[in-house]
Amino acid sequence: MERRIIGLPPGFRDLLLEDAETNRRIENVFAGEFSSAGYHEILPSGVEFLDVYARGSRSAKDRCFKFFDREDNLLALRADFTPAVARIVVAHLHELPPPVRLWYSGSVFRRADMQRGQYHEFGQIGAELIGVNNVASDAEVLSLALRGLTGAGVADACVHVNHAGIFRGIVGRLGLDAEAQALVRSEIDRKDVRALGTRLEQLGIEEPAREEVRILSKCVGGTDVLTTALEAIRNPQSHSAILELSRLAAAVPQWSDRIVFDLTEIDEMEYYSGCMFTFYSPSHTGELGKGGRYDGLLEEFGADLPAVGFSLSVDHIRESL
């Protein structure tokens, strides 16, 4: 009888021997950092109602692996920990006095682009600080992520920081519909100043407002870019957001050489309400993970609580070592 080789579906993989051991070591390093900072572990279910992700990021919902249960409820494999944490806090932990500090680790499942070497399943680890909205809590979460990355061996880890209010304040003055906003956001994200100028002209944006957007598209660097942005961008919402970034920088001087203020990084604006973090390493192509403030998410589940957190790919961290 011919022996059949048993494999995996495309887009999935096993982690063996050294890779599995390295992933466990990374998780243990972060677990130690979380425990020292007063964060408590939770183990969310690997399956949610699809609606849980619809209340978060639409892009996450669209990338879910979906299926029906016997009652014809539409379910999804875990595609993101943060909405699950929000659900758990509202359903089970709402009586705890704030702030509530939680951490988690496990696999997430998202439809990925296999032609770019991506996998549908990857290990994720992260933390959420719920119930407080101030610069100190943003600084705590940012420092926690960088300490964990450093302890895990990613000595060159850095973080690109932005604030959702900056772009929203500018766009609010332009009177653009959702489609036009997406086009402008795409040009800024690509840092293509010439294409951006053409796009704004086509949309009929007047020169003073066009200049604000052009300035924004060049603001990548140290705290000096915040000074530049403060001088050029005058609307109240953006101005307040830039000042908040300045206060964050002052709260984490120990990480000044690891922080890049990138006011062009605006690809997940629907999710975040304040500071936004994207973690990188020069040793790895692509990002290690994301984070930021998402004060509106828990309200979707019935509790008006502010929150800030981050999640990192354990696999990407391993690959950067």
PDB file of all heavy atoms in Angstrom, residues 7 16 19 35-36 38 43 46 54 60 81 91 95 100 110 156 212 221 235 260 264 273 291 313:
ATOM      1  N   GLY A   7       0.558  16.716   4.520  1.00  0.00           N
ATOM      2  CA  GLY A   7       1.098  18.072   4.556  1.00  0.00           C
ATOM      3  C   GLY A   7       0.117  19.057   5.163  1.00  0.00           C
ATOM      4  O   GLY A   7      -0.844  18.682   5.826  1.00  0.00           O
ATOM      5  N   LEU A  16       9.421  24.200  14.048  1.00  0.00           N
ATOM      6  CA  LEU A  16      10.094  23.039  14.603  1.00  0.00           C
ATOM      7  C   LEU A  16      11.379  23.415  15.331  1.00  0.00           C
ATOM      8  O   LEU A  16      12.006  24.441  15.035  1.00  0.00           O
ATOM      9  CB  LEU A  16      10.424  22.042  13.486  1.00  0.00           C
ATOM     10  CG  LEU A  16       9.268  21.636  12.562  1.00  0.00           C
ATOM     11  CD1 LEU A  16       9.782  20.743  11.443  1.00  0.00           C
ATOM     12  CD2 LEU A  16       8.163  20.953  13.343  1.00  0.00           C
ATOM     13  N   ASP A  19      13.315  26.989  15.892  1.00  0.00           N
ATOM     14  CA  ASP A  19      12.330  28.062  15.708  1.00  0.00           C
ATOM     15  C   ASP A  19      11.293  28.040  16.823  1.00  0.00           C
ATOM     16  O   ASP A  19      10.924  29.096  17.365  1.00  0.00           O
ATOM     17  CB  ASP A  19      11.637  27.926  14.349  1.00  0.00           C
ATOM     18  CG  ASP A  19      12.527  28.357  13.202  1.00  0.00           C
ATOM     19  OD1 ASP A  19      13.538  29.036  13.459  1.00  0.00           O
ATOM     20  OD2 ASP A  19      12.208  28.034  12.050  1.00  0.00           O
ATOM     21  N   SER A  35       4.784  40.951  33.585  1.00  0.00           N
ATOM     22  CA  SER A  35       4.557  40.685  35.007  1.00  0.00           C
ATOM     23  C   SER A  35       5.196  41.763  35.880  1.00  0.00           C
ATOM     24  O   SER A  35       4.579  42.234  36.845  1.00  0.00           O
ATOM     25  CB  SER A  35       5.125  39.300  35.365  1.00  0.00           C
ATOM     26  OG  SER A  35       4.947  39.021  36.732  1.00  0.00           O
ATOM     27  N   SER A  36       6.404  42.160  35.547  1.00  0.00           N
ATOM     28  CA  SER A  36       7.101  43.193  36.323  1.00  0.00           C
ATOM     29  C   SER A  36       6.364  44.526  36.296  1.00  0.00           C
ATOM     30  O   SER A  36       6.440  45.310  37.241  1.00  0.00           O
ATOM     31  CB  SER A  36       8.524  43.387  35.785  1.00  0.00           C
ATOM     32  OG  SER A  36       9.280  42.202  35.938  1.00  0.00           O
ATOM     33  N   GLY A  38       3.088  44.831  36.135  1.00  0.00           N
ATOM     34  CA  GLY A  38       1.760  44.708  36.716  1.00  0.00           C
ATOM     35  C   GLY A  38       0.658  44.313  35.758  1.00  0.00           C
ATOM     36  O   GLY A  38      -0.523  44.537  36.038  1.00  0.00           O
ATOM     37  N   LEU A  43      -6.352  34.573  28.369  1.00  0.00           N
ATOM     38  CA  LEU A  43      -6.302  33.641  27.247  1.00  0.00           C
ATOM     39  C   LEU A  43      -7.633  33.702  26.500  1.00  0.00           C
ATOM     40  O   LEU A  43      -8.536  32.914  26.759  1.00  0.00           O
ATOM     41  CB  LEU A  43      -6.038  32.217  27.744  1.00  0.00           C
ATOM     42  CG  LEU A  43      -4.706  31.993  28.474  1.00  0.00           C
ATOM     43  CD1 LEU A  43      -4.666  30.597  29.085  1.00  0.00           C
ATOM     44  CD2 LEU A  43      -3.538  32.190  27.523  1.00  0.00           C
ATOM     45  N   GLY A  46     -10.112  31.220  20.780  1.00  0.00           N
ATOM     46  CA  GLY A  46      -9.613  31.282  19.404  1.00  0.00           C
ATOM     47  C   GLY A  46     -10.697  31.508  18.377  1.00  0.00           C
ATOM     48  O   GLY A  46     -10.404  31.669  17.187  1.00  0.00           O
ATOM     49  N   ALA A  54     -16.136  43.179  13.220  1.00  0.00           N
ATOM     50  CA  ALA A  54     -16.817  44.270  12.521  1.00  0.00           C
ATOM     51  C   ALA A  54     -16.835  45.528  13.370  1.00  0.00           C
ATOM     52  O   ALA A  54     -16.910  46.639  12.846  1.00  0.00           O
ATOM     53  CB  ALA A  54     -18.241  43.853  12.159  1.00  0.00           C
ATOM     54  N   ALA A  60      -9.590  44.148   9.201  1.00  0.00           N
ATOM     55  CA  ALA A  60      -9.405  42.893   9.931  1.00  0.00           C
ATOM     56  C   ALA A  60     -10.569  41.954   9.678  1.00  0.00           C
ATOM     57  O   ALA A  60     -10.389  40.747   9.471  1.00  0.00           O
ATOM     58  CB  ALA A  60      -9.252  43.167  11.427  1.00  0.00           C
ATOM     59  N   PHE A  81      -6.284  40.201  18.503  1.00  0.00           N
ATOM     60  CA  PHE A  81      -6.561  40.042  19.927  1.00  0.00           C
ATOM     61  C   PHE A  81      -7.321  41.218  20.527  1.00  0.00           C
ATOM     62  O   PHE A  81      -8.122  41.051  21.448  1.00  0.00           O
ATOM     63  CB  PHE A  81      -5.250  39.863  20.697  1.00  0.00           C
ATOM     64  CG  PHE A  81      -4.786  38.451  20.827  1.00  0.00           C
ATOM     65  CD1 PHE A  81      -3.797  37.954  19.992  1.00  0.00           C
ATOM     66  CD2 PHE A  81      -5.318  37.606  21.783  1.00  0.00           C
ATOM     67  CE1 PHE A  81      -3.352  36.651  20.112  1.00  0.00           C
ATOM     68  CE2 PHE A  81      -4.889  36.307  21.909  1.00  0.00           C
ATOM     69  CZ  PHE A  81      -3.900  35.819  21.070  1.00  0.00           C
ATOM     70  N   ALA A  91     -17.470  42.261  29.241  1.00  0.00           N
ATOM     71  CA  ALA A  91     -18.304  41.146  29.691  1.00  0.00           C
ATOM     72  C   ALA A  91     -17.921  40.629  31.075  1.00  0.00           C
ATOM     73  O   ALA A  91     -18.799  40.207  31.844  1.00  0.00           O
ATOM     74  CB  ALA A  91     -18.230  40.004  28.674  1.00  0.00           C
ATOM     75  N   GLU A  95     -16.021  45.480  36.436  1.00  0.00           N
ATOM     76  CA  GLU A  95     -16.083  45.958  37.817  1.00  0.00           C
ATOM     77  C   GLU A  95     -14.706  46.233  38.409  1.00  0.00           C
ATOM     78  O   GLU A  95     -14.598  46.762  39.516  1.00  0.00           O
ATOM     79  CB  GLU A  95     -16.834  44.949  38.689  1.00  0.00           C
ATOM     80  CG  GLU A  95     -18.313  44.804  38.317  1.00  0.00           C
ATOM     81  CD  GLU A  95     -19.057  43.875  39.243  1.00  0.00           C
ATOM     82  OE1 GLU A  95     -18.405  43.291  40.140  1.00  0.00           O
ATOM     83  OE2 GLU A  95     -20.274  43.727  39.083  1.00  0.00           O
ATOM     84  N   VAL A 100      -6.859  48.875  34.046  1.00  0.00           N
ATOM     85  CA  VAL A 100      -6.779  47.421  33.913  1.00  0.00           C
ATOM     86  C   VAL A 100      -5.642  47.115  32.943  1.00  0.00           C
ATOM     87  O   VAL A 100      -5.634  47.594  31.810  1.00  0.00           O
ATOM     88  CB  VAL A 100      -8.101  46.834  33.396  1.00  0.00           C
ATOM     89  CG1 VAL A 100      -7.973  45.329  33.198  1.00  0.00           C
ATOM     90  CG2 VAL A 100      -9.238  47.159  34.353  1.00  0.00           C
ATOM     91  N   ARG A 110      -5.191  35.260   9.611  1.00  0.00           N
ATOM     92  CA  ARG A 110      -5.641  36.285   8.666  1.00  0.00           C
ATOM     93  C   ARG A 110      -5.303  35.832   7.255  1.00  0.00           C
ATOM     94  O   ARG A 110      -4.252  35.246   7.015  1.00  0.00           O
ATOM     95  CB  ARG A 110      -4.942  37.626   8.917  1.00  0.00           C
ATOM     96  CG  ARG A 110      -5.202  38.246  10.269  1.00  0.00           C
ATOM     97  CD  ARG A 110      -4.394  39.516  10.426  1.00  0.00           C
ATOM     98  NE  ARG A 110      -4.508  40.070  11.763  1.00  0.00           N
ATOM     99  CZ  ARG A 110      -3.763  41.069  12.220  1.00  0.00           C
ATOM    100  NH1 ARG A 110      -2.832  41.600  11.423  1.00  0.00           N
ATOM    101  NH2 ARG A 110      -3.929  41.513  13.451  1.00  0.00           N
ATOM    102  N   ASP A 156      18.198  46.654  17.832  1.00  0.00           N
ATOM    103  CA  ASP A 156      18.051  47.792  16.924  1.00  0.00           C
ATOM    104  C   ASP A 156      16.588  48.157  16.684  1.00  0.00           C
ATOM    105  O   ASP A 156      16.276  48.896  15.750  1.00  0.00           O
ATOM    106  CB  ASP A 156      18.733  47.498  15.591  1.00  0.00           C
ATOM    107  CG  ASP A 156      18.198  46.236  14.905  1.00  0.00           C
ATOM    108  OD1 ASP A 156      17.297  45.581  15.484  1.00  0.00           O
ATOM    109  OD2 ASP A 156      18.688  45.897  13.808  1.00  0.00           O
ATOM    110  N   GLU A 212      -0.374  72.747   3.882  1.00  0.00           N
ATOM    111  CA  GLU A 212      -0.397  71.960   5.117  1.00  0.00           C
ATOM    112  C   GLU A 212      -0.168  70.482   4.817  1.00  0.00           C
ATOM    113  O   GLU A 212       0.606  69.806   5.497  1.00  0.00           O
ATOM    114  CB  GLU A 212      -1.736  72.131   5.849  1.00  0.00           C
ATOM    115  CG  GLU A 212      -1.864  73.416   6.638  1.00  0.00           C
ATOM    116  CD  GLU A 212      -3.043  73.371   7.597  1.00  0.00           C
ATOM    117  OE1 GLU A 212      -3.827  72.408   7.551  1.00  0.00           O
ATOM    118  OE2 GLU A 212      -3.164  74.299   8.416  1.00  0.00           O
ATOM    119  N   GLY A 221      11.153  62.155  11.132  1.00  0.00           N
ATOM    120  CA  GLY A 221      12.436  62.395  11.784  1.00  0.00           C
ATOM    121  C   GLY A 221      12.306  62.484  13.290  1.00  0.00           C
ATOM    122  O   GLY A 221      11.436  61.860  13.902  1.00  0.00           O
ATOM    123  N   ASN A 235      -4.622  74.212  12.207  1.00  0.00           N
ATOM    124  CA  ASN A 235      -5.968  73.909  12.689  1.00  0.00           C
ATOM    125  C   ASN A 235      -5.898  73.340  14.107  1.00  0.00           C
ATOM    126  O   ASN A 235      -4.936  72.648  14.469  1.00  0.00           O
ATOM    127  CB  ASN A 235      -6.677  72.953  11.724  1.00  0.00           C
ATOM    128  CG  ASN A 235      -6.161  71.523  11.827  1.00  0.00           C
ATOM    129  OD1 ASN A 235      -6.539  70.784  12.719  1.00  0.00           O
ATOM    130  ND2 ASN A 235      -5.257  71.158  10.906  1.00  0.00           N
ATOM    131  N   VAL A 260      11.098  57.469  15.896  1.00  0.00           N
ATOM    132  CA  VAL A 260      11.010  58.279  14.678  1.00  0.00           C
ATOM    133  C   VAL A 260       9.586  58.822  14.608  1.00  0.00           C
ATOM    134  O   VAL A 260       8.630  58.053  14.623  1.00  0.00           O
ATOM    135  CB  VAL A 260      11.310  57.453  13.423  1.00  0.00           C
ATOM    136  CG1 VAL A 260      11.123  58.297  12.162  1.00  0.00           C
ATOM    137  CG2 VAL A 260      12.713  56.856  13.480  1.00  0.00           C
ATOM    138  N   THR A 264       3.547  60.737   8.345  1.00  0.00           N
ATOM    139  CA  THR A 264       2.961  60.199   7.116  1.00  0.00           C
ATOM    140  C   THR A 264       2.377  58.804   7.321  1.00  0.00           C
ATOM    141  O   THR A 264       1.730  58.264   6.426  1.00  0.00           O
ATOM    142  CB  THR A 264       4.018  60.119   5.994  1.00  0.00           C
ATOM    143  OG1 THR A 264       4.941  59.067   6.285  1.00  0.00           O
ATOM    144  CG2 THR A 264       4.768  61.429   5.870  1.00  0.00           C
ATOM    145  N   SER A 273      -7.414  56.380  17.718  1.00  0.00           N
ATOM    146  CA  SER A 273      -7.988  57.682  18.058  1.00  0.00           C
ATOM    147  C   SER A 273      -6.940  58.684  18.514  1.00  0.00           C
ATOM    148  O   SER A 273      -7.226  59.874  18.616  1.00  0.00           O
ATOM    149  CB  SER A 273      -9.038  57.516  19.170  1.00  0.00           C
ATOM    150  OG  SER A 273      -8.438  56.962  20.338  1.00  0.00           O
ATOM    151  N   GLY A 291       0.623  49.441  17.391  1.00  0.00           N
ATOM    152  CA  GLY A 291      -0.064  49.761  18.628  1.00  0.00           C
ATOM    153  C   GLY A 291      -0.578  51.180  18.581  1.00  0.00           C
ATOM    154  O   GLY A 291      -0.444  51.883  17.581  1.00  0.00           O
ATOM    155  N   SER A 313       4.287  40.610  16.251  1.00  0.00           N
ATOM    156  CA  SER A 313       4.395  39.277  15.675  1.00  0.00           C
ATOM    157  C   SER A 313       5.615  38.580  16.257  1.00  0.00           C
ATOM    158  O   SER A 313       6.754  39.020  16.058  1.00  0.00           O
ATOM    159  CB  SER A 313       4.521  39.360  14.150  1.00  0.00           C
ATOM    160  OG  SER A 313       4.918  38.105  13.626  1.00  0.00           O
TER     161      SER A 313
END
